[in-house]
Amino acid sequence: MDVGFETIANRAAGTMPRLGGTVARLGRTAVLIVLAVIVLGAAVLLAVPQWRDAVLPSSTVTLSAGPPAGWRQPSTAAPAQLPLEAAEPAPAPAASELKKAIADLPAGTAGRTGVVVVDPQTGRTLVSSGDRPMIPASTMKLLTSVAVLDTLGADRTFATSALLAGRSTVVLRGGGDPLLTDARTTGRASLADLAAKTAAALKRAGTDTVTLGYDATLFTGASWHPRWTENYQWSVGRISALSVDGGTDTNGKARRDPAAAAAKRFAARLEKAGIGVTSTRSMRTPSDADELAFVSSPPVQQLIEHTLRYSDNTAIETLARHTGVAAHDGADFAGAEQAVRTALKRLGLWRSGMRNDDSSGLSRENRVSPGVLAKAMRLVLTQDGLRSLIVGLPVGGVTGTLYDRFDDARERAGRGVVRAKTGSLRDVSTLAGYLITADGSPLAFAVMANEVTRPLATRDWIDTTVAAWSTCGC
């Protein structure tokens, strides 16, 4: 009866069913328009690095990161010549003038801040405000890089090898090369080269079919840090002694087993070179295996240059593992952290309350003071064994993680002048590096902000302050 009544009512209304359909169609159209606006807005948000970094949990730049389309390098003067003694630097500015140049932080922008400026020529602290341990984000990489370079040396390389075990088993042994790639590429070791060399050696021995083993036992322990959340799998690969292309798949997502993935690619390369592969398995390299071929990574100083410029989490964690191995502290996360901590203490870059919970700065349990970061930068500028770190520091408005910074009118003086390591997490923004003032005085600095509620305003505050220091002629 209800249906009959509804039908009679509709007929009496005449056009009501037609109007209802029109309303429904309009409703669907409105929903589609709203969804389209949301998708377009998200695309624009993620396309702009500053905005993307403000909403994503980590501001890590991937290996393929680069300037956006249409971007042009600003025509600004490069920083003064280094080392410092060759530049005849001017005396440091007056501390009072540097303090005056610190920009006003808008209310409600960040809960805690720390600012330290050091004269690298004398070691004298010129500005010190809020100098206490705070979450460093990726400026942790600056300290880790200092520890790595001090422990391993600038020229150390890491080999990825193919060895013959028995008559027909080839073992792909990982040596912890963080930049090992699949295809041939300038300056990096590649599986393509290793497979070609291996195939040639096997053919000379009369072998055309092998089983393939892979060995990633140089490193031990977990490959994923217990305080890294799952959303970090888009910005850091699992740490392995055998990993290719940063341990990520074609979508940039961390592979569950980077060693197995590398072996699969190596098998494909061997087969393409005319060597059949019957099976693949994980194994430890026998002590009596004979080396068929190897490829070597770039030296440590170049690996660090890449790591700092692109804030490569996987690379710095891998280098920290090597530091743990070299220091006999262990080849796992704990060993790496202990070795880095020991090196920092040896260099005088440690204070009460600090903590290195990982080596990349992804962990929110890390604590570093701005004073230690500024002091580390001073060592980089003045000690021969650490100066190669300077090359990798991003340049304001020009390279790496700083290419989109110092873009506002009050910040532009820092373009091409400031060289520094960035650090960004969801509510953290930090910057540590050096600059040469307008009158030729070098300054080492660190600016940190925690409990950030307005990321863009906080970054503007940091960039405006540092740019103001660069114009100092006092």
Side-chain angles (χ1 to χ4, degrees):
M1 180 178 289
D2 289 342
V3 174
F5 179 80
E6 185 177 289
T7 303
I8 293 171
N10 286 340
R11 287 175 181 171
T15 59
M16 284 187 67
R18 189 180 306 164
L19 287 174
T22 301
V23 171
R25 285 193 296 274
L26 289 174
R28 287 194 295 269
T29 301
V31 170
L32 290 174
I33 291 173
V34 171
L35 289 175
V37 170
I38 291 173
V39 172
L40 179 61
V44 172
L45 182 69
L46 295 177
V48 179
Q50 269 194 319
W51 297 350
R52 179 183 65 239
D53 295 345
V55 297
L56 294 182
S58 172
S59 66
T60 301
V61 176
T62 62
L63 302 184
S64 61
W71 176 89
R72 293 183 180 180
Q73 179 171 318
S75 55
T76 52
Q81 181 184 2
L82 290 171
L84 295 179
E85 56 265 26
E88 299 182 0
S96 59
E97 295 301 318
L98 294 175
K99 292 176 183 177
K100 288 179 184 178
I102 298 175
D104 291 332
L105 182 67
T109 297
R112 293 195 300 154
T113 61
V115 179
V116 173
V117 181
V118 171
D119 176 6
Q121 300 175 81
T122 64
R124 184 166 63 96
T125 298
L126 303 174
V127 176
S128 181
S129 173
D131 185 19
R132 59 198 182 282
M134 302 169 68
I135 302 174
S138 281
T139 49
M140 185 73 219
K141 292 183 178 69
L142 179 61
L143 293 183
T144 302
S145 294
V146 168
V148 167
L149 195 57
D150 182 70
T151 302
L152 300 179
D155 300 324
R156 174 79 177 273
T157 60
F158 310 108
T160 306
S161 309
L163 302 99
L164 184 63
R167 299 184 61 182
S168 60
T169 297
V170 171
V171 182
L172 176 65
R173 183 169 63 188
D177 179 352
L179 297 188
L180 180 67
T181 186
D182 181 22
R184 290 184 174 91
T185 183
T186 303
R188 299 185 185 184
S190 76
L191 289 181
D193 286 337
L194 182 59
K197 294 177 182 179
T198 302
L202 290 171
K203 289 175 181 178
R204 286 194 297 268
T207 301
D208 59 8
T209 303
V210 299
T211 59
L212 178 63
Y214 59 92
D215 182 353
T217 58
L218 177 63
F219 296 161
T220 59
S223 61
W224 191 259
H225 197 281
R227 277 165 293 284
W228 291 351
T229 57
E230 280 302 307
N231 55 351
Y232 285 162
Q233 65 185 320
W234 298 102
S235 60
V236 57
R238 294 178 178 273
I239 311 306
S240 172
L242 178 58
S243 181
V244 65
D245 294 336
T248 59
D249 60 22
T250 55
N251 295 317
K253 183 179 180 181
R255 294 184 181 277
R256 288 288 176 180
D257 190 342
K264 182 177 179 180
R265 292 195 191 183
F266 187 64
R269 291 286 181 182
L270 285 178
E271 290 180 339
K272 188 175 182 179
I275 302 296
V277 178
T278 59
S279 63
T280 303
R281 65 186 178 90
S282 174
M283 63 180 290
R284 184 180 291 272
T285 307
S287 58
D288 60 350
D290 296 320
E291 186 175 78
L292 294 168
F294 71 93
V295 289
S296 292
S297 73
V300 163
Q301 62 181 355
Q302 292 182 23
L303 295 175
I304 288 177
E305 176 184 343
H306 160 90
T307 296
L308 293 178
R309 180 169 296 142
Y310 299 111
S311 202
D312 190 327
N313 294 304
T314 309
I316 196 64
E317 292 288 352
T318 303
L319 290 171
R321 291 280 180 110
H322 282 297
T323 305
V325 172
H328 306 290
D329 287 321
D332 57 1
F333 279 114
E337 292 151 17
Q338 177 61 51
V340 167
R341 189 161 53 248
T342 298
L344 293 176
K345 289 179 178 179
R346 182 171 64 247
L347 293 167
L349 300 177
W350 199 261
R351 59 170 285 185
S352 176
M354 282 182 46
R355 182 182 181 188
N356 62 322
D357 190 56
D358 67 8
S359 300
S360 58
L362 286 174
S363 171
R364 304 185 69 83
E365 298 302 314
N366 290 309
R367 294 294 185 274
V368 170
S369 73
V372 166
L373 285 172
K375 187 176 180 180
M377 199 62 240
R378 188 218 173 195
L379 289 183
V380 169
L381 291 169
T382 57
Q383 289 197 6
D384 289 338
L386 299 176
R387 283 182 183 145
S388 59
L389 272 72
I390 295 173
V391 180
L393 288 174
V395 180
V398 181
T399 60
T401 56
L402 281 180
Y403 78 81
D404 64 324
R405 301 278 290 268
F406 298 94
D407 53 348
D408 293 342
R410 294 195 304 163
E411 305 165 4
R412 287 175 186 157
R415 296 172 73 84
V417 176
V418 175
R419 296 194 176 193
K421 180 70 195 76
T422 56
S424 299
L425 289 173
R426 187 176 57 254
D427 55 359
V428 176
S429 187
T430 59
L431 191 68
Y434 82 99
L435 56 86
I436 307 295
T437 66
D439 61 359
S441 175
L443 297 175
F445 67 86
V447 184
M448 305 180 73
N450 283 190
E451 301 171 14
V452 171
T453 56
R454 299 174 59 194
L456 296 183
T458 302
R459 288 189 178 191
D460 285 344
W461 169 71
I462 293 174
D463 292 356
T464 299
T465 295
V466 175
W469 290 334
S470 72
T471 65
C472 187
C474 41

